């Protein structure tokens, strides 16, 4: 069985995508049975879509909430939480996923660069922080208002918006010596560039997933397989 060695002085940066939650029953985006086969991005996941129809956008994200809240973490999520237990602050997880399965598996040092399903925020970015919101909305009239009067929107990074926590992510990439990218097609930027940034700094770069991603040429190693099957037992921690 293929192993990824983690040396005593390694700092590990992990980037995950929809593939890591696939075995938990959450649809990916670009696989043949993925979400973007059934929806148009420009209808549900852009600032213009929100402008044109907040009801349609909330409908889409309410359905995502429903699916994510009933899902359970799979062995892939647990393997990453266990790796963090071993490595402590030498481990950092950046997920593109908006579900909370990493947290529910025990991961703590993580950022959600594309936002979180279980939160909402002011559509006008008035300065109020995002709030917890787990409602499955059936109609727009049920959606609350911010204290400034604007409508609350999903705490999701729409296409065309800046991902969250980029400063922290950049610092963690710069000091990592091993980057592992798991279950992402490598087609959405800037996340698809992280492997190149890490490689420029001299890090080893490993991809894990059932098929090679679009940015495959940037990886020093590719481990083919499903996250939930491959991740448990993949890491050999040497110090
Ligand atoms: N284990 C690991 N990887 C898997 C599994 C699995 N069990 N099943 C599928 N995959 C892989 C697919 O091979 C594919 O490369 O997961 C990847 C999913 O790719 P996408 O659907 O494009 O998802 P992702 O890369 O996370 O999308 C990035 O795009 O739509 C936006 O904001 C959304 O965060 C998302 C971003």
């Amino acid at each position: 069985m293929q192993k990824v060695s983690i040396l005593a002085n390694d700092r590990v940066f992990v980037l995950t995508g929809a593939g890591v939650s696939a075995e938990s029953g959450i649809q990916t985006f670009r696989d043949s049975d993925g979400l973007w086969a059934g929806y148009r991005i420009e209808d549900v996941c852009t600032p213009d879509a929100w402008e044109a129809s907040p009801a349609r956008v909330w409908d889409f994200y309410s359905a995502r909430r429903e699916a994510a809240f009933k899902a359970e973490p799979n062995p892939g999520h647990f393997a990453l939480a266990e790796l963090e237990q071993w490595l402590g602050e030498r481990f950092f997880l950046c997920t593109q996923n908006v579900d909370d399965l990493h947290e529910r598996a025990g991961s703590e040092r993580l950022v959600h660069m594309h936002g979180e399903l279980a939160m909402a925020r002011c559509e006008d970015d008035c300065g109020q922080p995002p709030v917890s919101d787990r409602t499955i909305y059936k109609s727009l009239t049920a959606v609350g208002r911010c204290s400034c009067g604007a409508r609350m929107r999903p705490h999701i990074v729409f296409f065309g918006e800046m991902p969250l926590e980029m400063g922290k992510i950049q610092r963690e990439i710069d000091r990592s010596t091993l980057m592992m990218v798991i279950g992402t097609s490598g087609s959405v930027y800037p996340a698809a560039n992280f492997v190149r940034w890490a490689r420029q700094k001299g890090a080893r770069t490993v991809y894990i997933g059932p098929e090679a991603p679009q940015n495959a040429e940037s990886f020093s190693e590719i481990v083919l397989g499903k996250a939930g099957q491959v991740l448990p037992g993949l890491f050999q921690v040497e110090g």
Side-chain angles (χ1 to χ4, degrees):
M1 192 183 172
Q2 224 167 331
K3 293 275 182 191
V4 173
S5 296
I6 297 170
L7 311 176
N9 56 358
D10 269 334
R11 295 196 72 95
V12 177
F13 183 107
V14 176
L15 171 69
T16 61
V20 84
S21 294
E23 287 153 275
S24 295
I26 299 180
Q27 271 176 291
T28 63
F29 295 95
R30 293 174 188 77
D31 287 307
S32 54
D33 56 352
L35 281 168
W36 298 146
Y39 294 89
R40 286 167 9 124
I41 289 173
E42 55 272 34
D43 288 342
V44 293
C45 193
T46 64
D48 285 350
W50 175 254
E51 199 65 39
S53 178
R56 190 166 53 202
V57 173
W58 265 120
D59 209 40
F60 177 73
Y61 284 104
S62 289
R64 306 285 67 74
R65 282 182 174 179
E66 213 163 5
F69 296 165
K70 67 176 189 229
E72 297 294 337
N74 67 57
H77 296 106
F78 286 113
L80 290 172
E82 189 181 29
L83 182 61
E84 180 179 344
Q85 288 292 315
W86 286 328
L87 299 180
E89 62 90 46
R90 292 194 290 131
F91 177 95
F92 184 77
L93 173 59
C94 173
T95 186
Q96 296 169 89
N97 298 344
V98 293
D99 64 54
D100 62 354
L101 296 182
H102 282 304
E103 289 93 324
R104 281 159 56 197
S107 290
E108 290 175 2
R109 293 170 180 85
L110 86 163
V111 296
H112 284 271
M113 66 178 290
H114 290 164
E116 294 175 64
L117 274 175
M119 303 193 95
R121 70 167 191 265
C122 173
E123 66 174 344
D124 282 350
D125 280 331
C126 74
Q128 295 290 331
V131 296
S132 168
D133 177 2
R134 300 176 61 87
T135 308
I136 313 293
Y137 291 109
K138 301 288 180 210
S139 91
L140 190 60
T141 48
V143 175
R145 296 262 167 190
C146 178
S147 55
C148 76
R151 201 188 302 278
M152 296 298 279
R153 60 167 269 182
H155 183 46
I156 298 287
V157 176
F158 295 148
F159 281 85
E161 295 181 327
M162 183 65 96
L164 308 174
E165 309 261 25
M166 281 306 295
K168 185 172 192 179
I169 290 167
Q170 183 73 66
R171 282 193 296 281
E172 292 292 343
I173 292 174
D174 286 351
R175 63 182 189 160
S176 67
T177 58
L178 170 61
M179 173 171 285
M180 289 192 282
V181 177
I182 305 161
T184 171
S185 55
S187 50
V188 173
Y189 291 83
N193 262 336
F194 292 176
V195 61
R196 296 190 186 98
W197 300 346
R199 203 148 183 191
Q200 279 162 11
K201 294 270 173 184
R204 286 178 291 147
T205 53
V206 182
Y207 180 79
I208 299 137
E211 62 196 352
Q214 290 202 6
N215 52 358
E217 76 289 345
S218 299
F219 290 92
S220 39
E221 201 179 325
I222 292 189
V223 179
L224 287 178
K226 293 183 174 187
Q229 292 171 7
V230 168
L231 292 179
L234 181 68
F235 312 121
Q236 194 163 314
V237 180
E238 301 179 357

